[in-house]
Amino acid sequence: MNIEAVKSIYFFEMARTRRTLLQSVVSPVISTSLYFIVFGAAIGARIQEINGVSYGAFITPGLMMLTLLTQCIGNGSFGIYFPKFTGTIYELLSSPISMLEIVLGYVGAAATKGLMIGTIILATASLFVDLSIAHPFVMLFFFVLTAITFSLFGFIIGIWAKDFEQLNLIPMLVVPPLVFLGGSFYSIDMLPPFWRAVSHFNPVLYLISGFRWSFFEISDVNPVASAVIILVFLLVCMSVLTWIFHTGYRLRN
Protein backbone atom coordinates (compact mmCIF):
# COMPACT_ATOMS: atom_id res chain seq x y z
CA MET A 1 0.00 0.00 0.00
CA ASN A 2 1.45 3.36 -1.09
CA ILE A 3 0.34 5.47 1.87
CA GLU A 4 2.06 8.60 0.56
CA ALA A 5 0.09 8.41 -2.69
CA VAL A 6 -3.19 8.06 -0.83
CA LYS A 7 -2.29 10.99 1.42
CA SER A 8 -1.31 13.15 -1.56
CA ILE A 9 -4.64 12.61 -3.32
CA TYR A 10 -6.58 12.98 -0.07
CA PHE A 11 -4.98 16.24 1.04
CA PHE A 12 -5.13 17.69 -2.48
CA GLU A 13 -8.88 17.13 -2.51
CA MET A 14 -9.29 18.49 1.01
CA ALA A 15 -7.37 21.63 -0.01
CA ARG A 16 -10.05 22.28 -2.64
CA THR A 17 -12.59 22.55 0.17
CA ARG A 18 -10.55 25.29 1.83
CA ARG A 19 -10.36 27.18 -1.46
CA THR A 20 -14.14 27.00 -1.89
CA LEU A 21 -15.11 27.52 1.74
CA LEU A 22 -18.12 29.73 0.94
CA GLN A 23 -19.64 27.17 -1.40
CA SER A 24 -18.62 24.12 0.63
CA VAL A 25 -19.59 25.18 4.16
CA VAL A 26 -21.53 28.44 4.31
CA SER A 27 -24.06 27.53 1.62
CA PRO A 28 -25.28 24.29 3.30
CA VAL A 29 -25.61 26.07 6.64
CA ILE A 30 -27.73 28.84 5.13
CA SER A 31 -29.86 26.28 3.25
CA THR A 32 -30.47 24.29 6.43
CA SER A 33 -31.39 27.42 8.37
CA LEU A 34 -33.92 28.32 5.67
CA TYR A 35 -35.41 24.81 5.82
CA PHE A 36 -35.92 25.18 9.57
CA ILE A 37 -37.38 28.66 9.24
CA VAL A 38 -39.75 27.72 6.42
CA PHE A 39 -40.72 24.16 7.36
CA GLY A 40 -40.37 24.62 11.11
CA ALA A 41 -42.42 27.81 11.22
CA ALA A 42 -44.95 27.15 8.46
CA ILE A 43 -45.56 23.41 8.71
CA GLY A 44 -44.45 23.06 12.32
CA ALA A 45 -47.22 25.44 13.35
CA ARG A 46 -49.74 22.97 11.89
CA ILE A 47 -47.97 19.71 12.82
CA GLN A 48 -46.78 20.00 16.39
CA GLU A 49 -45.50 16.42 16.75
CA ILE A 50 -44.96 13.24 14.78
CA ASN A 51 -44.85 10.03 16.83
CA GLY A 52 -44.17 12.05 19.96
CA VAL A 53 -41.26 14.02 18.45
CA SER A 54 -41.45 17.74 17.75
CA TYR A 55 -41.67 18.48 14.05
CA GLY A 56 -38.44 20.51 13.97
CA ALA A 57 -36.48 17.66 15.56
CA PHE A 58 -38.23 15.09 13.36
CA ILE A 59 -36.98 16.66 10.11
CA THR A 60 -33.37 17.03 11.30
CA PRO A 61 -32.19 13.52 10.26
CA GLY A 62 -33.82 14.02 6.85
CA LEU A 63 -32.05 17.35 6.34
CA MET A 64 -28.75 15.79 7.36
CA MET A 65 -29.26 12.95 4.87
CA LEU A 66 -30.22 15.39 2.10
CA THR A 67 -27.00 17.33 2.65
CA LEU A 68 -24.87 14.22 3.14
CA LEU A 69 -26.04 12.50 -0.04
CA THR A 70 -25.73 15.66 -2.14
CA GLN A 71 -22.28 16.55 -0.82
CA CYS A 72 -20.82 13.04 -1.00
CA ILE A 73 -22.07 12.38 -4.52
CA GLY A 74 -21.03 15.84 -5.72
CA ASN A 75 -17.55 15.74 -4.19
CA GLY A 76 -16.94 12.13 -5.19
CA SER A 77 -17.96 12.72 -8.80
CA PHE A 78 -16.18 16.05 -9.31
CA GLY A 79 -12.95 14.77 -7.73
CA ILE A 80 -12.37 12.16 -10.46
CA TYR A 81 -14.17 13.98 -13.29
CA PHE A 82 -11.95 17.07 -13.17
CA PRO A 83 -8.73 15.09 -13.92
CA LYS A 84 -10.61 13.51 -16.84
CA PHE A 85 -11.70 16.95 -18.05
CA THR A 86 -8.18 18.43 -17.87
CA GLY A 87 -6.41 15.30 -19.12
CA THR A 88 -4.33 14.79 -15.96
CA ILE A 89 -6.09 11.45 -15.40
CA TYR A 90 -3.52 9.83 -17.71
CA GLU A 91 -0.69 10.95 -15.45
CA LEU A 92 -2.53 9.42 -12.53
CA LEU A 93 -3.17 6.13 -14.35
CA SER A 94 0.46 5.86 -15.54
CA SER A 95 1.91 6.55 -12.09
CA PRO A 96 2.90 3.70 -9.73
CA ILE A 97 -0.41 3.88 -7.86
CA SER A 98 -2.90 1.07 -7.64
CA MET A 99 -6.58 1.55 -8.36
CA LEU A 100 -7.35 0.84 -4.70
CA GLU A 101 -5.09 3.71 -3.61
CA ILE A 102 -6.76 6.08 -6.10
CA VAL A 103 -10.19 5.15 -4.75
CA LEU A 104 -9.09 5.48 -1.12
CA GLY A 105 -7.72 8.97 -1.77
CA TYR A 106 -10.66 10.39 -3.69
CA VAL A 107 -13.47 8.59 -1.88
CA GLY A 108 -11.89 9.17 1.52
CA ALA A 109 -11.73 12.91 0.87
CA ALA A 110 -15.32 13.04 -0.45
CA ALA A 111 -16.62 11.11 2.56
CA THR A 112 -14.67 13.31 4.98
CA LYS A 113 -16.13 16.46 3.43
CA GLY A 114 -19.63 15.01 3.60
CA LEU A 115 -19.19 14.06 7.26
CA MET A 116 -17.84 17.52 8.08
CA ILE A 117 -20.81 19.26 6.45
CA GLY A 118 -23.24 16.80 8.05
CA THR A 119 -21.76 17.54 11.48
CA ILE A 120 -22.08 21.27 10.84
CA ILE A 121 -25.72 20.75 9.85
CA LEU A 122 -26.32 18.84 13.09
CA ALA A 123 -24.77 21.70 15.07
CA THR A 124 -26.87 24.23 13.14
CA ALA A 125 -30.05 22.22 13.79
CA SER A 126 -29.33 22.17 17.52
CA LEU A 127 -29.64 25.98 17.50
CA PHE A 128 -33.26 25.68 16.36
CA VAL A 129 -34.53 22.56 18.14
CA ASP A 130 -33.75 20.38 21.13
CA LEU A 131 -32.03 17.24 19.89
CA SER A 132 -31.10 14.02 21.63
CA ILE A 133 -29.43 10.97 20.11
CA ALA A 134 -30.79 7.76 21.63
CA HIS A 135 -28.16 5.51 20.01
CA PRO A 136 -25.00 7.51 19.17
CA PHE A 137 -23.02 4.51 17.89
CA VAL A 138 -25.85 3.44 15.59
CA MET A 139 -26.07 7.04 14.37
CA LEU A 140 -22.34 7.05 13.61
CA PHE A 141 -22.68 3.71 11.83
CA PHE A 142 -25.38 5.02 9.48
CA PHE A 143 -23.65 8.39 9.14
CA VAL A 144 -20.22 7.04 8.17
CA LEU A 145 -21.48 4.10 6.09
CA THR A 146 -23.80 6.34 4.06
CA ALA A 147 -20.98 8.84 3.47
CA ILE A 148 -18.59 6.15 2.20
CA THR A 149 -21.23 4.40 0.08
CA PHE A 150 -22.47 7.51 -1.70
CA SER A 151 -18.95 8.88 -2.16
CA LEU A 152 -18.23 5.64 -4.02
CA PHE A 153 -21.42 6.15 -5.99
CA GLY A 154 -20.34 9.69 -6.84
CA PHE A 155 -16.93 8.40 -7.93
CA ILE A 156 -18.67 6.05 -10.37
CA ILE A 157 -20.77 8.94 -11.71
CA GLY A 158 -17.61 10.99 -12.23
CA ILE A 159 -16.08 8.21 -14.33
CA TRP A 160 -19.32 7.68 -16.28
CA ALA A 161 -20.02 11.35 -17.01
CA LYS A 162 -18.90 12.71 -20.38
CA ASP A 163 -19.70 16.35 -19.63
CA PHE A 164 -20.82 18.64 -16.82
CA GLU A 165 -24.46 18.09 -17.69
CA GLN A 166 -24.20 14.35 -17.02
CA LEU A 167 -22.07 15.07 -13.96
CA ASN A 168 -24.88 17.09 -12.34
CA LEU A 169 -27.75 14.95 -13.62
CA ILE A 170 -28.06 12.54 -10.68
CA PRO A 171 -27.01 14.86 -7.80
CA MET A 172 -29.35 17.63 -8.92
CA LEU A 173 -32.31 15.91 -10.58
CA VAL A 174 -32.50 12.44 -9.02
CA VAL A 175 -31.24 12.59 -5.43
CA PRO A 176 -33.25 15.60 -4.08
CA PRO A 177 -36.67 14.24 -5.20
CA LEU A 178 -35.86 10.83 -3.73
CA VAL A 179 -34.90 12.44 -0.42
CA PHE A 180 -37.96 14.68 -0.33
CA LEU A 181 -40.22 11.71 -1.14
CA GLY A 182 -38.35 9.42 1.25
CA GLY A 183 -39.92 10.66 4.46
CA SER A 184 -37.57 13.58 5.16
CA PHE A 185 -40.35 15.92 6.24
CA TYR A 186 -43.10 13.47 7.13
CA SER A 187 -43.80 9.92 8.21
CA ILE A 188 -45.06 7.64 5.45
CA ASP A 189 -47.74 6.50 7.92
CA MET A 190 -49.42 9.81 7.08
CA LEU A 191 -49.82 8.74 3.43
CA PRO A 192 -52.72 6.79 1.88
CA PRO A 193 -52.10 3.01 1.67
CA PHE A 194 -51.21 3.07 -2.05
CA TRP A 195 -48.56 5.78 -1.76
CA ARG A 196 -47.27 4.22 1.45
CA ALA A 197 -46.63 1.01 -0.50
CA VAL A 198 -44.99 2.93 -3.36
CA SER A 199 -42.69 4.71 -0.88
CA HIS A 200 -41.14 1.38 0.11
CA PHE A 201 -39.57 1.19 -3.35
CA ASN A 202 -37.63 4.38 -2.63
CA PRO A 203 -34.18 3.32 -1.33
CA VAL A 204 -33.62 6.67 0.36
CA LEU A 205 -36.56 5.94 2.68
CA TYR A 206 -34.48 3.19 4.31
CA LEU A 207 -31.49 5.50 4.81
CA ILE A 208 -33.54 8.24 6.45
CA SER A 209 -35.63 5.84 8.56
CA GLY A 210 -32.63 4.00 9.95
CA PHE A 211 -30.83 7.27 10.65
CA ARG A 212 -33.93 8.74 12.35
CA TRP A 213 -34.31 5.62 14.50
CA SER A 214 -30.84 6.23 15.95
CA PHE A 215 -32.06 9.64 17.14
CA PHE A 216 -35.60 9.02 18.39
CA GLU A 217 -36.18 5.22 18.22
CA ILE A 218 -38.96 5.78 15.67
CA SER A 219 -38.78 4.51 12.12
CA ASP A 220 -40.98 3.87 9.10
CA VAL A 221 -39.07 0.64 8.34
CA ASN A 222 -37.01 -1.82 10.34
CA PRO A 223 -33.55 -0.30 11.13
CA VAL A 224 -31.94 -3.66 10.35
CA ALA A 225 -33.46 -3.53 6.87
CA SER A 226 -32.03 -0.01 6.51
CA ALA A 227 -28.53 -1.24 7.37
CA VAL A 228 -28.84 -4.18 4.97
CA ILE A 229 -29.94 -1.87 2.12
CA ILE A 230 -26.90 0.39 2.62
CA LEU A 231 -24.49 -2.56 2.81
CA VAL A 232 -25.94 -4.12 -0.35
CA PHE A 233 -25.63 -0.82 -2.22
CA LEU A 234 -22.04 -0.50 -0.97
CA LEU A 235 -21.22 -3.96 -2.34
CA VAL A 236 -22.85 -3.06 -5.66
CA CYS A 237 -20.75 0.11 -5.93
CA MET A 238 -17.56 -1.82 -5.10
CA SER A 239 -18.42 -4.45 -7.72
CA VAL A 240 -19.04 -1.78 -10.38
CA LEU A 241 -15.77 -0.02 -9.56
CA THR A 242 -13.89 -3.32 -9.78
CA TRP A 243 -15.37 -3.88 -13.25
CA ILE A 244 -14.54 -0.31 -14.32
CA PHE A 245 -10.90 -0.59 -13.30
CA HIS A 246 -10.62 -4.07 -14.82
CA THR A 247 -12.00 -2.95 -18.20
CA GLY A 248 -10.81 0.66 -18.19
CA TYR A 249 -14.35 1.86 -18.93
CA ARG A 250 -14.20 5.58 -19.84
CA LEU A 251 -10.75 5.86 -18.27
CA ARG A 252 -8.41 4.76 -21.03
CA ASN A 253 -10.15 6.12 -24.11
Side-chain angles (χ1 to χ4, degrees):
M1 175 69 71
N2 189 343
I3 300 298
E4 290 301 319
V6 176
K7 287 170 57 179
S8 297
I9 296 173
Y10 177 86
F11 286 116
F12 178 81
E13 286 297 301
M14 293 302 296
R16 183 158 55 83
T17 302
R18 293 193 295 271
R19 293 194 297 269
T20 59
L21 191 64
L22 186 66
Q23 175 186 351
S24 301
V25 177
V26 178
S27 178
V29 171
I30 294 176
S31 298
T32 302
S33 300
L34 290 174
Y35 276 121
F36 274 107
I37 293 171
V38 174
F39 284 90
I43 300 179
R46 298 173 180 270
I47 306 175
Q48 296 295 328
E49 290 185 348
I50 296 180
N51 295 330
V53 179
S54 68
Y55 185 73
F58 182 85
I59 67 175
T60 299
L63 287 176
M64 289 180 66
M65 275 294 161
L66 173 62
T67 305
L68 186 65
L69 297 187
T70 304
Q71 290 290 324
C72 288
I73 294 175
N75 288 316
S77 59
F78 187 81
I80 190 63
Y81 176 80
F82 194 70
K84 284 176 55 185
F85 179 74
T86 59
T88 55
I89 185 71
Y90 301 110
E91 298 177 6
L92 189 64
L93 293 174
S94 62
S95 61
I97 307 175
S98 70
M99 296 304 180
L100 175 61
E101 291 157 358
I102 293 174
V103 172
L104 286 176
Y106 281 111
V107 172
T112 300
K113 290 183 226 179
L115 291 171
M116 287 171 53
I117 302 301
T119 303
I120 292 173
I121 297 303
L122 179 61
T124 304
S126 65
L127 300 176
F128 293 89
V129 295
D130 291 329
L131 282 175
S132 61
I133 304 175
H135 303 280
F137 291 107
V138 177
M139 189 274 281
L140 286 174
F141 170 79
F142 279 107
F143 198 35
V144 174
L145 189 62
T146 301
I148 294 172
T149 301
F150 282 86
S151 295
L152 275 173
F153 183 52
F155 191 82
I156 294 171
I157 294 172
I159 294 175
W160 165 78
K162 291 183 177 179
D163 50 40
F164 283 100
E165 183 178 356
Q166 289 186 346
L167 186 69
N168 293 314
L169 180 65
I170 294 179
M172 295 293 103
L173 296 180
V174 177
V175 173
L178 288 178
V179 175
F180 280 112
L181 298 173
S184 299
F185 302 105
Y186 58 89
S187 170
I188 64 169
D189 291 335
M190 302 167 67
L191 299 175
F194 174 77
W195 292 110
R196 192 184 311 155
V198 170
S199 296
H200 282 87
F201 291 95
N202 182 354
V204 177
L205 169 68
Y206 297 87
L207 306 182
I208 296 174
S209 293
F211 195 54
R212 181 174 287 134
W213 183 86
S214 69
F215 279 79
F216 312 119
E217 293 187 323
I218 58 173
S219 176
D220 290 320
V221 296
N222 192 317
V224 176
S226 300
V228 170
I229 290 293
I230 302 176
L231 289 171
V232 168
F233 189 55
L234 174 62
L235 291 175
V236 170
C237 289
M238 292 173 64
S239 300
V240 172
L241 269 180
T242 301
W243 174 80
I244 287 174
F245 286 135
H246 180 71
T247 61
Y249 174 74
R250 293 197 177 177
L251 285 175
R252 296 169 183 164
N253 50 19

